[in-house]
Structure formats: structure tokens, C-alpha cells
Short mmCIF file of all heavy atoms in Angstrom, two decimals:
data_model
loop_
_atom_site.label_atom_id
_atom_site.label_comp_id
_atom_site.label_asym_id
_atom_site.label_seq_id
_atom_site.Cartn_x
_atom_site.Cartn_y
_atom_site.Cartn_z
N THR A 12 0.62 -2.29 16.57
CA THR A 12 2.03 -2.07 16.24
C THR A 12 2.57 -3.23 15.41
O THR A 12 3.24 -3.02 14.39
CB THR A 12 2.86 -1.90 17.53
OG1 THR A 12 2.38 -0.75 18.23
CG2 THR A 12 4.33 -1.73 17.22
N CYS A 13 2.28 -4.45 15.83
CA CYS A 13 2.74 -5.62 15.08
C CYS A 13 2.12 -5.66 13.68
O CYS A 13 2.79 -5.97 12.70
CB CYS A 13 2.39 -6.91 15.82
SG CYS A 13 3.35 -7.17 17.31
N PHE A 14 0.84 -5.34 13.60
CA PHE A 14 0.18 -5.32 12.30
C PHE A 14 0.80 -4.27 11.39
O PHE A 14 1.03 -4.53 10.20
CB PHE A 14 -1.32 -5.04 12.45
CG PHE A 14 -2.00 -4.91 11.11
CD1 PHE A 14 -2.28 -6.04 10.37
CD2 PHE A 14 -2.31 -3.67 10.60
CE1 PHE A 14 -2.87 -5.93 9.11
CE2 PHE A 14 -2.90 -3.55 9.35
CZ PHE A 14 -3.19 -4.68 8.61
N HIS A 15 1.10 -3.11 11.94
CA HIS A 15 1.70 -2.05 11.13
C HIS A 15 3.06 -2.51 10.58
O HIS A 15 3.35 -2.30 9.40
CB HIS A 15 1.87 -0.77 11.97
CG HIS A 15 2.53 0.34 11.22
ND1 HIS A 15 1.89 1.03 10.23
CD2 HIS A 15 3.77 0.85 11.31
CE1 HIS A 15 2.72 1.93 9.73
NE2 HIS A 15 3.87 1.84 10.37
N ARG A 16 3.86 -3.14 11.41
CA ARG A 16 5.16 -3.66 10.96
C ARG A 16 4.99 -4.69 9.85
O ARG A 16 5.69 -4.67 8.84
CB ARG A 16 5.93 -4.28 12.12
CG ARG A 16 6.65 -3.27 12.93
CD ARG A 16 7.63 -3.97 13.89
NE ARG A 16 7.53 -3.29 15.17
CZ ARG A 16 7.25 -3.84 16.32
NH1 ARG A 16 7.04 -5.14 16.41
NH2 ARG A 16 7.16 -3.13 17.42
N PHE A 17 4.03 -5.60 10.06
CA PHE A 17 3.74 -6.63 9.06
C PHE A 17 3.34 -5.98 7.74
O PHE A 17 3.88 -6.30 6.69
CB PHE A 17 2.63 -7.55 9.58
CG PHE A 17 1.97 -8.38 8.51
CD1 PHE A 17 2.58 -9.52 8.03
CD2 PHE A 17 0.73 -8.01 8.00
CE1 PHE A 17 1.97 -10.29 7.05
CE2 PHE A 17 0.12 -8.77 7.02
CZ PHE A 17 0.73 -9.92 6.54
N TYR A 18 2.38 -5.07 7.79
CA TYR A 18 1.84 -4.47 6.57
C TYR A 18 2.88 -3.61 5.87
O TYR A 18 2.88 -3.49 4.64
CB TYR A 18 0.60 -3.64 6.92
CG TYR A 18 -0.24 -3.30 5.72
CD1 TYR A 18 -1.11 -4.24 5.17
CD2 TYR A 18 -0.17 -2.04 5.13
CE1 TYR A 18 -1.88 -3.93 4.07
CE2 TYR A 18 -0.94 -1.72 4.02
CZ TYR A 18 -1.79 -2.68 3.50
OH TYR A 18 -2.55 -2.37 2.39
N ASP A 19 3.78 -3.02 6.64
CA ASP A 19 4.83 -2.18 6.08
C ASP A 19 5.90 -3.01 5.36
O ASP A 19 6.46 -2.56 4.35
CB ASP A 19 5.47 -1.35 7.19
CG ASP A 19 6.37 -0.25 6.67
OD1 ASP A 19 5.98 0.44 5.70
OD2 ASP A 19 7.47 -0.07 7.23
N LYS A 20 6.16 -4.22 5.84
CA LYS A 20 7.27 -5.03 5.31
C LYS A 20 6.86 -6.12 4.32
O LYS A 20 7.66 -6.55 3.51
CB LYS A 20 8.02 -5.68 6.47
CG LYS A 20 8.76 -4.70 7.34
CD LYS A 20 9.49 -5.40 8.45
CE LYS A 20 10.19 -4.37 9.32
NZ LYS A 20 10.90 -4.97 10.43
N ILE A 21 5.61 -6.58 4.41
CA ILE A 21 5.18 -7.73 3.63
C ILE A 21 4.25 -7.29 2.50
O ILE A 21 3.31 -6.53 2.72
CB ILE A 21 4.43 -8.75 4.53
CG1 ILE A 21 5.32 -9.21 5.68
CG2 ILE A 21 3.91 -9.92 3.71
CD1 ILE A 21 6.54 -9.98 5.28
N ARG A 22 4.52 -7.80 1.32
CA ARG A 22 3.60 -7.57 0.21
C ARG A 22 2.44 -8.54 0.39
O ARG A 22 2.61 -9.76 0.29
CB ARG A 22 4.32 -7.82 -1.11
CG ARG A 22 3.46 -7.52 -2.29
CD ARG A 22 4.26 -7.63 -3.57
NE ARG A 22 3.40 -7.27 -4.68
CZ ARG A 22 3.78 -7.28 -5.92
NH1 ARG A 22 5.02 -7.61 -6.22
NH2 ARG A 22 2.95 -6.95 -6.88
N VAL A 23 1.27 -8.00 0.64
CA VAL A 23 0.13 -8.84 0.98
C VAL A 23 -0.37 -9.61 -0.23
O VAL A 23 -0.52 -10.83 -0.18
CB VAL A 23 -1.01 -7.99 1.61
CG1 VAL A 23 -2.24 -8.84 1.85
CG2 VAL A 23 -0.52 -7.35 2.90
N VAL A 24 -0.65 -8.92 -1.30
CA VAL A 24 -1.18 -9.59 -2.50
C VAL A 24 -0.07 -9.71 -3.53
O VAL A 24 0.51 -8.71 -3.96
CB VAL A 24 -2.38 -8.80 -3.08
CG1 VAL A 24 -2.87 -9.46 -4.36
CG2 VAL A 24 -3.49 -8.71 -2.06
N ASP A 25 0.22 -10.95 -3.87
CA ASP A 25 1.24 -11.24 -4.88
C ASP A 25 0.62 -12.21 -5.88
O ASP A 25 0.29 -13.34 -5.52
CB ASP A 25 2.47 -11.87 -4.21
CG ASP A 25 3.62 -12.08 -5.16
OD1 ASP A 25 3.40 -12.11 -6.39
OD2 ASP A 25 4.75 -12.21 -4.67
N PRO A 26 0.42 -11.78 -7.13
CA PRO A 26 -0.22 -12.65 -8.12
C PRO A 26 0.47 -14.00 -8.29
O PRO A 26 -0.17 -14.99 -8.63
CB PRO A 26 -0.14 -11.84 -9.42
CG PRO A 26 0.01 -10.43 -8.97
CD PRO A 26 0.77 -10.48 -7.67
N ALA A 27 1.76 -14.06 -8.04
CA ALA A 27 2.49 -15.32 -8.18
C ALA A 27 2.26 -16.26 -6.99
O ALA A 27 2.55 -17.45 -7.08
CB ALA A 27 3.99 -15.04 -8.33
N LEU A 28 1.75 -15.72 -5.89
CA LEU A 28 1.55 -16.52 -4.67
C LEU A 28 0.09 -16.42 -4.22
O LEU A 28 -0.23 -15.85 -3.19
CB LEU A 28 2.49 -16.03 -3.57
CG LEU A 28 3.98 -16.04 -3.90
CD1 LEU A 28 4.77 -15.31 -2.83
CD2 LEU A 28 4.47 -17.47 -4.03
N THR A 29 -0.79 -17.01 -5.00
CA THR A 29 -2.23 -16.87 -4.75
C THR A 29 -2.64 -17.39 -3.37
O THR A 29 -3.34 -16.70 -2.64
CB THR A 29 -3.03 -17.62 -5.84
OG1 THR A 29 -2.59 -17.16 -7.11
CG2 THR A 29 -4.51 -17.37 -5.69
N ARG A 30 -2.20 -18.58 -3.03
CA ARG A 30 -2.61 -19.16 -1.74
C ARG A 30 -2.07 -18.33 -0.57
O ARG A 30 -2.79 -18.03 0.38
CB ARG A 30 -2.13 -20.59 -1.62
CG ARG A 30 -2.58 -21.22 -0.33
CD ARG A 30 -2.27 -22.68 -0.27
NE ARG A 30 -2.71 -23.19 1.02
CZ ARG A 30 -2.31 -24.34 1.51
NH1 ARG A 30 -1.49 -25.10 0.83
NH2 ARG A 30 -2.74 -24.74 2.68
N LEU A 31 -0.80 -17.94 -0.65
CA LEU A 31 -0.19 -17.14 0.41
C LEU A 31 -0.90 -15.78 0.51
O LEU A 31 -1.13 -15.28 1.61
CB LEU A 31 1.31 -16.96 0.16
CG LEU A 31 2.09 -16.21 1.24
CD1 LEU A 31 1.95 -16.91 2.59
CD2 LEU A 31 3.55 -16.10 0.84
N SER A 32 -1.26 -15.20 -0.62
CA SER A 32 -1.99 -13.93 -0.61
C SER A 32 -3.33 -14.08 0.11
O SER A 32 -3.71 -13.22 0.92
CB SER A 32 -2.22 -13.43 -2.04
OG SER A 32 -1.00 -13.11 -2.67
N CYS A 33 -4.03 -15.17 -0.15
CA CYS A 33 -5.31 -15.42 0.52
C CYS A 33 -5.12 -15.59 2.02
O CYS A 33 -5.92 -15.10 2.82
CB CYS A 33 -5.99 -16.66 -0.07
SG CYS A 33 -6.64 -16.41 -1.73
N GLU A 34 -4.06 -16.28 2.41
CA GLU A 34 -3.78 -16.47 3.83
C GLU A 34 -3.44 -15.15 4.51
O GLU A 34 -3.88 -14.88 5.63
CB GLU A 34 -2.65 -17.48 4.01
CG GLU A 34 -3.05 -18.89 3.62
CD GLU A 34 -1.90 -19.86 3.51
OE1 GLU A 34 -0.72 -19.42 3.57
OE2 GLU A 34 -2.16 -21.07 3.35
N ARG A 35 -2.68 -14.31 3.81
CA ARG A 35 -2.34 -13.00 4.37
C ARG A 35 -3.57 -12.12 4.49
O ARG A 35 -3.74 -11.40 5.48
CB ARG A 35 -1.28 -12.32 3.51
CG ARG A 35 0.08 -12.98 3.65
CD ARG A 35 1.09 -12.40 2.70
NE ARG A 35 2.40 -13.00 2.91
CZ ARG A 35 3.41 -12.88 2.08
NH1 ARG A 35 3.29 -12.17 0.97
NH2 ARG A 35 4.56 -13.46 2.35
N LEU A 36 -4.46 -12.18 3.50
CA LEU A 36 -5.70 -11.41 3.57
C LEU A 36 -6.58 -11.90 4.73
O LEU A 36 -7.22 -11.10 5.42
CB LEU A 36 -6.46 -11.48 2.25
CG LEU A 36 -5.82 -10.68 1.11
CD1 LEU A 36 -6.49 -11.02 -0.23
CD2 LEU A 36 -5.91 -9.18 1.38
N ALA A 37 -6.59 -13.20 4.96
CA ALA A 37 -7.35 -13.76 6.09
C ALA A 37 -6.76 -13.28 7.41
O ALA A 37 -7.50 -12.95 8.35
CB ALA A 37 -7.36 -15.28 6.02
N LEU A 38 -5.43 -13.22 7.49
CA LEU A 38 -4.77 -12.71 8.70
C LEU A 38 -5.14 -11.25 8.94
O LEU A 38 -5.42 -10.85 10.07
CB LEU A 38 -3.25 -12.87 8.57
CG LEU A 38 -2.41 -12.37 9.72
CD1 LEU A 38 -2.72 -13.15 11.00
CD2 LEU A 38 -0.93 -12.48 9.38
N ILE A 39 -5.16 -10.47 7.89
CA ILE A 39 -5.54 -9.06 8.01
C ILE A 39 -6.98 -8.93 8.48
O ILE A 39 -7.29 -8.12 9.35
CB ILE A 39 -5.32 -8.33 6.67
CG1 ILE A 39 -3.82 -8.17 6.42
CG2 ILE A 39 -6.04 -6.99 6.63
CD1 ILE A 39 -3.48 -7.66 5.03
N ASP A 40 -7.88 -9.74 7.91
CA ASP A 40 -9.28 -9.67 8.32
C ASP A 40 -9.45 -10.09 9.78
O ASP A 40 -10.22 -9.48 10.53
CB ASP A 40 -10.14 -10.54 7.41
CG ASP A 40 -11.61 -10.19 7.52
OD1 ASP A 40 -11.95 -8.98 7.62
OD2 ASP A 40 -12.44 -11.12 7.51
N ALA A 41 -8.73 -11.12 10.19
CA ALA A 41 -8.81 -11.56 11.60
C ALA A 41 -8.30 -10.46 12.53
O ALA A 41 -8.90 -10.21 13.59
CB ALA A 41 -7.98 -12.83 11.79
N THR A 42 -7.23 -9.79 12.13
CA THR A 42 -6.70 -8.68 12.93
C THR A 42 -7.72 -7.55 13.02
O THR A 42 -7.93 -6.97 14.08
CB THR A 42 -5.38 -8.17 12.33
OG1 THR A 42 -4.46 -9.27 12.24
CG2 THR A 42 -4.77 -7.08 13.18
N ARG A 43 -8.37 -7.26 11.90
CA ARG A 43 -9.42 -6.23 11.88
C ARG A 43 -10.54 -6.55 12.87
O ARG A 43 -10.98 -5.70 13.65
CB ARG A 43 -10.00 -6.10 10.47
CG ARG A 43 -11.15 -5.09 10.37
CD ARG A 43 -11.87 -5.20 9.04
NE ARG A 43 -12.49 -6.50 8.80
CZ ARG A 43 -13.64 -6.90 9.34
NH1 ARG A 43 -14.31 -6.10 10.16
NH2 ARG A 43 -14.13 -8.09 9.09
#
């Protein structure tokens, strides 16, 4: 449920925020 809320509200990959995008992808992989 928390992951769904996160994924629904947050833009995971943002070309302007490379490091943050990598961190968000790592969070998604850890959740998986």
C-alpha cells in the first residue's frame, strides 16, 4: 500500500535529478 502511494505520487525518474532518480530506483528494487 505504501509503495503504491509512493509510485502514484512521485516521479521516479527525472532527468534533471539523476542522483535522486537512482536512489528512488534503489528504493523500488529493495521493496521488490
Side-chain angles (χ1 to χ4, degrees):
T12 299
C13 289
F14 175 77
H15 178 73
R16 277 192 222 124
F17 163 79
Y18 196 79
D19 192 44
K20 293 180 181 180
I21 302 296
R22 183 173 183 181
V23 175
V24 177
D25 185 340
L28 303 170
T29 307
R30 182 173 179 197
L31 184 58
S32 294
C33 288
E34 291 168 351
R35 289 174 177 166
L36 288 169
L38 179 63
I39 288 171
D40 197 40
T42 304
R43 177 191 61 78

